[in-house]
């Protein structure tokens, strides 16, 4: 059995417009890279080899908390070193905490002889989300673990459905250099919604899923709309409306906030459109002196994976 594994754990776009807390997909880049190694201390040892700060206390680190949940389920005591070598920026809206939790759980599972299937490890990674923002949602952890699009049909019991999607679907994600904490972005949401809004939202969510499964780009485009969360959260993102309009005018199927923001994603059915949108998004943020990183990627069908082992 391996003594260590180096893991790639992908960023994810969650909510995807109408699917707050239930829909998400994995992208090819960026991603976390972390090395997980067994140790003989019976404890966790977190090492940070990135320039991005992260908690070194195992009780405050999402990765060790998630692995601990898995060890508890197995009734096993085992120490691990978890070395972060590249990290998605926290507070970016592309599943930073989920990538860390998923990567560490997946790596530890490899070193323990694969006692769990991917779908059964999502619940452990969710404990990292609980630590990160107070809510154990699975719309980032499930696609990071399982790849592709995933739908959380139910949280209790946890039921996750993989959703097939067109092969020529391209995602542009722009990450403006501002931080939005998920916990804060959740606090501002309204606790009650109108029946009219609910009807619009569940029609759109069902339409988006049908569109993805049937390769129906017209249906995807008319369904990728969020009338509940986006109107509240978009005020936290400077130039959101301009970025969304530019993406749609350039031919995006849809454009909305990625997770809790501030990243914004757009889906397109051609690489050229996705690249053009990336340029436009960066220009709009630059016009208000906000730097940004931009990523164009297809849907990542695999999710978390082993890069090397030894
Ligand atoms: N569904 C979550 C939210 C994703 O929008 O708050 C953020 O992690």
């Amino acid at each position: 059995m391996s003594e260590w594994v180096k893991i790639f754990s992908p960023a994810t776009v969650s909510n995807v417009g109408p699917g707050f807390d239930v829909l998400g997909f994995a992208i090819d880049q960026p991603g976390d890279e972390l090395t997980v190694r067994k140790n003989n201390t019976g404890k966790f040892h977190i090492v940070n080899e990135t320039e991005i700060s992260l908690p070194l206390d195992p009780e405050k680190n999402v990765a060790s908390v998630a692995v601990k949940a898995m060890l508890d389920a197995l009734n096993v005591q085992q120490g691990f070193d978890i070395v972060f070598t590249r990290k998605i920026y926290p507070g970016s809206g592309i599943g930073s905490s989920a990538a860390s939790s998923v990567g560490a759980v997946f790596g530890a599972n490899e070193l323990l002889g694969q006692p769990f299937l991917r779908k059964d490890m999502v619940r452990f990674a969710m404990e990292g989300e609980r630590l990160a923002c107070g809510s154990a949602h699975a719309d980032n952890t499930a696609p990071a673990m399982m790849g592709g699009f995933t739908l959380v049909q139910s949280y209790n019991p946890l039921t996750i459905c993989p959703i097939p999607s067109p092969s020529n679907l391209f995602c542009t994600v722009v990450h403006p250099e501002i931080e939005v904490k998920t916990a804060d972005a959740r606090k501002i949401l309204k606790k009650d919604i109108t029946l009219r809004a609910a009807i619009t939202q569940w029609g759109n969510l069902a339409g988006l899923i049908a569109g993805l499964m049937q390769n129906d780009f017209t249906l995807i485009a008319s369904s990728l709309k969020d009338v509940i969360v986006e109107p509240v959260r978009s005020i936290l993102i400077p130039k959101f409306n301009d970025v969304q309009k530019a993406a749609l005018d350039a031919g995006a199927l849809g454009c909305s906030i990625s997770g809790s923001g501030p990243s914004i994603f757009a889906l397109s059915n051609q690489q050229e459109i996705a690249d053009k949108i990336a340029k436009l998004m960066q220009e709009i943020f630059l016009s208000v002196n906000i730097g940004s990183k931009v990523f164009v990627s297809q849907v990542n069908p695999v999710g978390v994976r082993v890069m090397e082992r030894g």
Side-chain angles (χ1 to χ4, degrees):
M1 207 179 293
S2 307
E3 286 300 309
W4 61 269
V5 279
K6 186 170 182 184
I7 301 293
F8 175 82
S9 190
T12 43
V13 172
S14 59
N15 300 338
V16 203
F20 179 69
D21 272 3
V22 297
L23 188 63
F25 63 93
I27 53 180
D28 287 327
Q29 51 133 351
D32 256 6
E33 287 176 15
L34 51 145
T35 301
V36 185
R37 185 189 299 272
K38 280 186 190 169
N39 69 35
N40 295 323
T41 66
K43 294 184 182 151
F44 288 96
H45 181 220
I46 312 287
V47 179
N48 183 11
E49 292 186 348
T50 74
E51 80 279 19
I52 306 164
S53 74
L54 54 89
L56 300 180
D57 176 350
E59 291 189 8
K60 297 191 176 131
N61 185 290
V62 296
S64 39
V65 164
V67 175
K68 174 81 170 48
M70 181 167 79
L71 295 177
D72 288 349
L74 288 169
N75 208 10
V76 161
Q77 190 155 8
Q78 171 65 54
F80 288 100
D81 299 340
I82 305 173
V83 184
F84 289 87
T85 51
R86 206 181 83 186
K87 183 102 179 46
I88 305 165
Y89 279 84
S92 55
I94 48 175
S96 149
S97 50
S100 298
S101 311
V102 164
V105 166
F106 186 76
N109 187 63
E110 289 291 310
L111 299 178
L112 294 169
Q114 300 184 339
F116 292 105
L117 299 172
R118 285 176 184 255
K119 69 178 173 58
D120 296 325
M121 289 187 278
V122 174
R123 64 192 162 106
F124 306 129
M126 286 165 67
E127 292 308 314
E129 298 293 68
R130 193 192 305 281
L131 176 71
C133 73
S135 153
H137 50 271
D139 50 339
N140 291 104
T141 49
M145 188 69 87
M146 297 164 65
F149 275 81
T150 58
L151 172 74
V152 185
Q153 180 272 327
S154 154
Y155 273 94
N156 190 15
L158 185 65
T159 309
I160 295 162
C161 310
I163 305 293
S165 58
S167 56
N168 54 332
L169 199 57
F170 297 87
C171 176
T172 312
V173 177
V174 65
H175 172 209
E177 286 167 0
I178 48 175
E179 188 181 343
V180 172
K181 289 198 165 60
T182 298
D184 295 339
R186 294 181 79 85
K187 266 186 221 139
I188 62 169
L189 297 178
K190 294 179 192 153
K191 298 289 172 280
D192 299 298
I193 55 170
T194 62
L195 182 60
R196 180 183 291 270
I199 292 167
T200 304
Q201 195 87 346
W202 63 54
N204 280 337
L205 179 58
L208 177 56
I209 288 170
L212 289 168
M213 295 181 74
Q214 295 166 2
N215 292 351
D216 183 338
F217 290 114
T218 308
L219 186 55
I220 292 172
S222 62
S223 306
L224 209 165
K225 290 177 187 135
D226 170 10
V227 297
I228 294 173
V229 176
E230 182 189 290
V232 181
R233 283 183 170 171
S234 57
I235 54 166
L236 301 175
I237 308 172
K239 291 279 172 190
F240 174 79
N241 291 334
D242 290 357
V243 170
Q244 187 183 53
K245 181 170 185 313
L248 294 173
D249 288 350
L253 300 166
C255 174
S256 187
I257 302 170
S258 174
S260 53
S263 290
I264 301 171
F265 79 97
L267 287 181
S268 315
N269 58 3
Q270 286 175 40
Q271 168 106 39
E272 301 73 53
I273 297 177
D275 289 337
K276 185 173 166 197
I277 291 169
K279 198 163 164 281
L280 291 169
M281 286 172 156
Q282 284 207 294
E283 281 170 6
I284 291 171
F285 281 117
L286 256 192
S287 73
V288 286
N289 294 320
I290 298 176
S292 63
K293 291 190 176 53
V294 75
F295 306 94
V296 175
S297 162
Q298 288 198 269
V299 176
N300 173 341
V302 176
V304 63
R305 63 182 162 83
V306 174
M307 299 169 74
E308 268 180 79
R309 63 173 77 233

